[in-house]
Amino acid sequence: MIISADMPMSEREAMQYSPLALAFLGDSVYDTLIRDYLLRCANMPVSKLHTAKIKLVCAEFQSSVYDTVAEILTEKEFAVLKRGRNSTGNNVPKHAEAVDYRRATAIESLFGYLFLTGQEERILQIFKVIMKNVLPDFD
């Protein structure tokens, strides 16, 4: 996992960032986990790795796991998820539905929050739940 240069933030400090700022960081955390997973699964050409990655980092996929992730969250984590979903100011890409984009932003906000607060184990637990949606035998 990626290690932050500084000590983890308190939950209060992390919550001072906007949901979109948390999503900015969380997007890279989630993307890195997906890339690591795909690379370890199979030694294949980069173009195939990229194609597989795109399917797992798109708004539509992230939105599809929103409800599953929401079920396993603590109260505080769920509050972060809701803040991310309800955030305004993000421009929805032409290839995504607004509801999918907001739910994807929520997932990314959660990953950003957990990263800032140093909860790497929790990030991995949630990532495993997400991947079980794709691969039921994932562990």
Side-chain angles (χ1 to χ4, degrees):
M1 189 63 173
I2 305 166
I3 309 274
S4 177
D6 294 326
M7 296 296 292
M9 291 182 177
S10 69
E11 292 174 353
R12 182 182 171 133
E13 290 171 320
M15 290 298 280
Q16 291 178 359
Y17 287 93
S18 75
L20 296 179
L22 293 174
F24 168 78
L25 177 60
D27 176 57
S28 67
V29 172
Y30 176 78
D31 188 83
T32 300
L33 288 167
I34 292 293
R35 287 172 186 253
D36 179 63
Y37 167 75
L38 291 172
L39 187 68
R40 290 172 190 266
C41 278
N43 188 3
M44 61 178 95
V46 173
S47 61
K48 288 187 178 185
L49 288 169
H50 180 72
T51 300
K53 179 199 75 120
I54 294 299
K55 292 177 183 174
L56 298 173
V57 299
C58 69
E60 184 179 19
F61 176 76
Q62 289 177 329
S63 177
S64 75
V65 298
Y66 177 93
D67 291 326
T68 303
V69 168
E71 291 175 7
I72 64 158
L73 299 180
T74 66
E75 226 176 277
K76 287 183 181 183
E77 292 167 347
F78 188 69
V80 172
L81 192 75
K82 281 177 53 176
R83 274 185 73 215
R85 185 195 65 210
N86 295 335
S87 64
T88 58
N90 49 358
N91 297 322
V92 179
K94 291 179 185 176
H95 63 277
E97 296 291 324
V99 67
D100 288 340
Y101 195 70
R102 286 179 176 270
R103 288 164 54 112
T105 299
I107 296 289
E108 293 168 351
S109 294
L110 177 63
F111 274 90
Y113 167 81
L114 292 171
F115 181 82
L116 285 177
T117 57
Q119 298 182 61
E120 293 181 11
E121 268 308 304
R122 187 63 174 147
I123 289 170
L124 294 176
Q125 289 171 349
I126 293 169
F127 182 71
K128 286 179 181 179
V129 168
I130 290 170
M131 292 309 292
K132 279 188 179 281
N133 244 22
V134 180
L135 307 164
D137 295 334
F138 179 82
D139 278 324

